[in-house]
Amino acid sequence: MRKFLVLSALATLGVAGPVMAGTFSYDMVEAGIIGDTIDDPNGNDDLDGQGLSIAGSVSLTPNLYGFAGASSTDYEYRHIDDSDFTVGNFNIGLGFHVPLNRRIDLVTGVSLQRLRLHNDTDTLNEDGYGLDVGLRGMLGPRLQWTVGMHYVDYGRDGGDDGDDTSWSAGFRYYFTRVFAVGVDVGSTDKNQANALIAFRWDLGNR
């Protein structure tokens, strides 16, 4: 984990590569439909979740951009009737992208995170931070792909339950120069798997 944190920090500061303008747009708005499952190793607290998300980013300099996102997911226990809860997430941060060649960008980010868990009787709010590092690439003029590693930490008095590492991969197919549809899939180190069907509108030039 320390190596991941160091690499993310170096890349975000622009030390990991030369500062050049890239060919991707980082001005966009994206809405998504979430599917999520969490498997309990003991088989008692398996969860299924469905939700919605919205996110966006805006270029600040040729290599720096700001981003924000929000999501809400309703979870139900597979083996317990009439028991569910909602998880909401909000994040805002800064990202840095460096072109490795004409078709691939190295992308990193740091963010503030807000987590909200709510059921019929109680509400819990947690604040934390996130770190991201990944690649964004092109396969032809219409198809883009991404792979990434994501780390979030909500503290929780220093316990192990407060942090999470996840991996994701996805693509976006551009039907026009500004509109794309795609899918992201991911997993975490806590037996969680998720998928996102995304609808993207580019606000800048690709």
Side-chain angles (χ1 to χ4, degrees), residues 63-87:
N63 294 90
L64 187 70
Y65 65 97
F67 61 89
S71 66
S72 179
T73 307
D74 295 324
Y75 287 92
E76 294 183 351
Y77 288 96
R78 295 179 198 164
H79 309 298
I80 304 174
D81 294 333
D82 299 325
S83 180
D84 55 19
F85 61 94
T86 300
V87 175

Side-chain angles (χ1 to χ4, degrees), residues 122-138:
D122 196 13
T123 298
L124 174 66
N125 293 304
E126 295 278 359
D127 294 317
Y129 66 91
L131 300 170
D132 305 280
V133 61
L135 298 174
R136 182 182 182 188
M138 296 177 62

